[in-house]
Amino acid sequence: MTTVLIKGLGLIGSSLALSIKQAHPTVHIIGIDRDDVSLSYARQQGMIDASGTDLAAVASDADVIILAGPVDVIVADLHRLAMMPLKAGVLVTDVGSTKQVVMHAALAIQQHGVTFIGGHPMAGSHKSGVTAGRANLFENAFYLLVPGRTNQAAVQRLQALLQATHVKWLTVTAIQHDRIVGQLSHLPHIVAAALVDQTQVALADSALGLRLAAGGFKSITRIASSDPTMWAAILMTNAELITNQLQGYIDQLLRIKTAIRVHDQATLYEFFATAKVTRDHLGPEQLGGLPNFYDLFLNVPDRVGALADVTQRLAQAQLSLVNIHILEIREEIDGVLQLTFSDLKTRTQASSLLADAGYQIVRRN
Ligand SMILES: NC(=O)c1ccc[n+]([C@@H]2O[C@H](COP(=O)([O-])OP(=O)(O)OC[C@H]3O[C@@H](n4cnc5c(N)ncnc54)[C@H](O)[C@@H]3O)[C@@H](O)[C@H]2O)c1
Ligand SMILES: O=C(O)C(=O)C[C@]1(C(=O)O)C=C[C@@H](O)C=C1
């Protein structure tokens, strides 16, 4: 029997537990968390088979250890694991959002012959905690691996364990990881939080203030609802790269500020036009899109029952869906629904059916 230990049963830890159970129902999962309520919930939901609060008490039982707490906790856990007896052949991995600091902390267990693979599923949510966990959270997302000198067999062992995540595996170095993810994830979280905080202060004297926020403000600031403990740890463990990237962003804002002040229409046009071209090419398929499957993207109105209407129509016509994903739903504005089919014929039939029912097809690929 394989025993998997997951430390940190929040959004990511519980989602991994669910997907492991899906592909390997006989795997014995032990969950560790400092929060007893999360552990009871996870046991009730069948995400885990056993629970504990002390890493030292159960670490030596595990064939695989997944560290899924905030990055600073992952670092501390790696240091503690280096002092504990572990099973021969144990595979240790993490899910932290920064990798250089984690890989450095893993050196101690690696020196004891333990296999460590740095990991980071590039999917998540602004919601945190065990109740937000979903087996399909990572579907279509990139799952970045930093195997270092780990052999390919260990990488394949991890990928087989996490096969039901349906991710796209990608190997990177820790520095590559932190630079790219710093720009694509860490910086945007700072921008979102800064905008919310600054707006709150700027409109504090207005009775309406933030209540008037519409689609634009809400879509750019969704991630400002993320967990502050997790984000403080991320910024502190990727500080140098992020401060440089933040400076690049501040420089860009200052350039635009000047263009606005001097009424430099050409610069302002260029600013928006360049961003539009880049963003338009980052189509929904790059946010998801199962390889070798057939996607249909359609606009859905922001009204109760729209999602149910689409799925019911498909079910009545016996058109099977592989996956359904809401890419964007904004209040009072159409959202985009990604429907994935296993073959072209079904996708073509679904496309005609939904177009006939009045849905606007955005694209097919
Ligand atoms: N949220 C995302 O979008 C996302 C995506 C990819 C990776 N990550 C990374 O995954 C990790 C977990 O993030 P999450 O979103 O699941 O966070 P979360 O807040 O949902 O879960 C963290 C869990 O760890 C537990 N915990 C915290 N400190 C602990 C300690 N000292 N001992 C025992 N348990 C402890 C908490 O009780 C909680 O259940 C973080 O390192 C984060 O950077 C997050
Ligand atoms: O979708 C979200 O809400 C996320 O914030 C997910 C997100 C990100 O895209 O920045 C957040 C942190 C992770 O390390 C990876 C993914």
Side-chain angles (χ1 to χ4, degrees):
M1 181 181 68
T2 302
T3 298
V4 174
L5 170 61
I6 303 182
K7 176 148 189 291
L9 272 179
L11 170 74
I12 303 296
S14 64
S15 298
L16 286 181
L18 284 167
S19 62
I20 292 171
K21 282 277 174 203
Q22 209 171 67
H24 312 278
T26 59
V27 163
H28 181 73
I29 303 185
I30 306 174
I32 294 194
D33 202 286
R34 64 176 176 188
D35 178 29
D36 287 338
V37 178
S38 299
L39 289 174
S40 319
Y41 180 87
R43 285 196 76 153
Q44 274 162 16
Q45 299 294 313
M47 295 171 173
I48 57 171
D49 304 290
S51 60
T53 46
D54 181 16
L55 186 60
V58 281
S60 62
D61 296 335
D63 299 291
V64 177
I65 299 178
I66 302 176
L67 301 176
V71 191
D72 53 339
V73 176
I74 292 173
V75 167
D77 288 340
L78 284 167
H79 290 307
R80 291 185 59 217
L81 284 176
M83 322 283 270
M84 294 174 193
L86 298 176
K87 226 185 207 183
V90 65
L91 169 61
V92 183
T93 187
D94 81 304
V95 298
S97 302
T98 60
K99 288 276 80 72
Q100 289 182 95
V101 168
V102 169
M103 295 310 290
H104 186 72
L107 287 176
I109 51 166
Q110 286 173 320
Q111 275 156 10
H112 291 120
V114 172
T115 300
F116 178 78
I117 302 174
H120 182 195
M122 280 301 290
S125 165
H126 53 282
K127 298 203 173 104
S128 55
V130 68
T131 52
R134 293 191 277 122
N136 64 353
L137 179 69
F138 310 108
E139 217 153 280
N140 294 338
F142 283 108
Y143 197 122
L144 305 176
L145 290 181
V146 185
R149 295 208 191 102
T150 308
N151 63 47
Q152 194 52 30
V155 172
Q156 283 167 359
R157 193 175 148 209
L158 179 63
Q159 292 175 340
L161 181 71
L162 302 182
Q163 61 184 261
T165 53
H166 300 298
V167 292
K168 296 182 267 189
W169 299 100
L170 202 66
T171 296
V172 290
T173 64
I175 174 81
Q176 255 178 339
H177 173 279
D178 286 1
R179 191 177 81 83
I180 296 174
V181 174
Q183 186 71 38
L184 289 179
S185 171
H186 307 167
L187 182 60
H189 277 80
I190 300 171
V191 170
L195 184 58
V196 172
D197 284 349
Q198 186 261 338
T199 303
Q200 205 272 331
V201 173
L203 299 182
D205 60 350
S206 157
L208 288 170
L210 274 165
R211 288 161 61 202
L212 289 188
F217 188 85
K218 285 183 180 168
S219 48
I220 194 183
T221 60
R222 173 185 65 82
I223 53 178
S225 291
S226 301
D227 181 60
T229 307
M230 172 180 133
W231 278 98
I234 291 173
L235 300 195
M236 285 188 304
T237 53
N238 196 17
E240 197 181 327
L241 282 163
I242 295 173
T243 45
N244 287 336
Q245 291 165 341
L246 188 55
Q247 189 56 54
Y249 184 69
I250 292 167
D251 294 345
Q252 171 80 314
L253 292 182
L254 291 174
R255 199 174 65 80
I256 293 312
K257 182 180 161 194
T258 305
I260 298 169
R261 204 183 51 225
V262 302
H263 284 223
D264 179 352
Q265 199 267 349
T267 299
L268 293 176
Y269 178 87
E270 194 56 31
F271 168 65
F272 285 111
T274 308
K276 177 169 165 50
V277 170
T278 307
R279 184 60 180 83
D280 286 353
H281 278 89
L282 186 75
E285 72 282 6
Q286 291 198 16
L287 300 173
L290 293 163
N292 305 322
F293 284 88
Y294 296 84
D295 287 326
L296 188 64
F297 296 93
L298 69 152
N299 272 341
V300 279
D302 173 40
R303 66 172 157 76
V304 177
L307 193 61
D309 182 61
V310 169
T311 50
Q312 264 165 26
R313 284 177 192 277
L314 294 173
Q316 274 159 12
Q318 295 191 320
L319 298 172
S320 311
L321 267 170
V322 172
N323 191 34
I324 184 162
H325 188 48
I326 302 167
L327 292 168
E328 199 173 290
I329 288 279
R330 289 173 290 157
E331 271 175 50
E332 293 153 22
I333 300 175
D334 283 0
V336 175
L337 204 60
Q338 177 185 14
L339 304 172
T340 306
F341 303 92
S342 60
D343 58 79
L344 182 60
K345 189 173 160 219
T346 313
R347 204 263 313 269
T348 309
Q349 288 172 335
S351 179
S352 331
L353 177 92
L354 294 170
D356 289 349
Y359 287 96
Q360 190 199 347
I361 308 298
V362 184
R363 63 196 292 170
R364 302 168 187 84
N365 39 249

